[in-house]
Amino acid sequence: MRSSVIVFPASNCDRDASVALEKITGTKPSMVWHAESTVPESDLIVLPGGFSFGDYLRSGAMAAQSPIMKDVIAKAKTGVPVLGICNGFQVLVESELLPGALMRNRDIKFLCKDVQLKVERNDTIFTSKYDAGEIITIPIAHHDGNYFASDETLKELEGDGRVAFRYVDDAGTASSEANPNGSQNNIAGIYNKDMKVLGLMPHPERLISQELGGTDGVGLFESLVEALH
């Protein structure tokens, strides 16, 4: 499976994404600098976590204007899968490949901890290796992960089954206590309309081996391998 990781100034999870992709796909991804104009032929494009451009203006806003994003957007619109993790999710929203906005966390604090997520569905290229309704543990590390959208957009996301992951408690309930950042409807990740673009705030690339504390992130990458190999 050919993959590319886009690297922005101040990205700090690009190597984590690269290590996860190489470990699970068996092939090193292409690392693509943000100033480039073309993404190499790829089965998957990854926008990694980090603090692109120091999170100035809004998180992801400046990265969304990088030269490479024109080709990322063009390829996404032809159906090339795109995965945006944390800051990558923010870039996808700022690029309008995904709807809504990511605001400061509810308590205006940076959060770095493990959270529990419910896999809403498993009939997508990103989640087939999980069970629908499965509860997984994945770390978060963000200051601006509070997902917000208009009532109309939320209705569309929920009605179309485009919520990928939701913050939940031990019982699988999307409670206020289980919601780390105040996201509407406990949303942790969403798909675009054709289900080929996924943005999520948690970091699956950080849980791909027991040495890292767990393997709950493996399913996402193995799902992509199965769908795209």
Side-chain angles (χ1 to χ4, degrees):
M1 188 180 88
R2 301 166 299 175
S3 59
S4 292
V5 177
I6 310 300
V7 183
F8 301 99
S11 290
N12 66 6
C13 298
D14 48 312
R15 186 176 179 277
D16 293 350
S18 174
V19 169
L21 288 165
E22 182 175 1
K23 176 181 175 66
I24 297 171
T25 71
T27 304
K28 283 187 176 182
S30 299
M31 305 302 283
V32 184
W33 183 234
H34 78 111
E36 299 292 333
S37 59
T38 305
V39 181
E41 285 297 317
S42 303
D43 303 304
L44 172 72
I45 299 171
V46 177
L47 305 183
F51 300 91
S52 59
F53 293 90
D55 278 354
Y56 287 110
L57 298 181
R58 296 182 306 276
S59 298
M62 294 179 72
Q65 304 303 315
S66 287
I68 197 64
M69 287 306 298
K70 288 184 179 178
D71 199 42
V72 171
I73 293 168
K75 285 183 164 60
K77 290 184 176 177
T78 65
V80 175
V82 179
L83 169 64
I85 301 169
C86 196
N87 187 234
F89 185 12
Q90 295 160 344
V91 176
L92 288 173
V93 169
E94 292 289 342
S95 302
E96 299 185 351
L97 284 172
L98 291 172
L102 288 153
M103 306 189 306
R104 291 292 166 89
N105 296 337
R106 176 180 51 205
D107 297 328
I108 319 295
K109 291 182 180 178
F110 180 83
L111 297 171
C112 184
K113 63 180 184 178
D114 288 344
V115 297
Q116 290 178 296
L117 304 175
K118 180 181 179 183
V119 181
E120 289 294 310
R121 56 189 293 179
N122 69 343
D123 58 346
T124 79
I125 62 173
F126 298 96
T127 58
S128 64
K129 290 296 184 180
Y130 297 114
D131 294 326
E134 182 176 348
I135 309 301
I136 60 175
T137 299
I138 300 287
I140 58 170
H142 60 248
H143 196 281
D144 301 306
N146 183 354
Y147 184 75
F148 177 87
S150 67
D151 290 344
E152 181 180 357
T153 297
L154 281 177
K155 184 177 179 181
E156 183 177 309
L157 289 172
E158 296 287 358
D160 293 346
R162 288 166 53 197
V163 175
F165 302 101
R166 221 181 288 272
Y167 302 111
V168 296
D169 60 21
D170 291 341
T173 302
S175 63
S176 176
E177 292 74 16
N179 188 344
N181 50 34
S183 290
Q184 289 177 308
N185 295 8
N186 285 51
I187 288 173
I190 58 172
Y191 300 107
N192 72 338
K193 288 185 177 179
D194 69 3
M195 313 297 281
K196 294 286 188 66
V197 176
L198 168 64
L200 74 166
M201 289 310 299
H203 287 265
E205 81 280 15
R206 293 186 181 180
L207 275 189
I208 58 165
S209 72
Q210 291 299 342
E211 288 80 6
L212 295 175
T215 59
D216 281 6
V218 171
L220 186 145
F221 294 100
E222 288 188 339
S223 298
L224 287 165
V225 170
E226 182 175 79
L228 305 176
H229 197 273

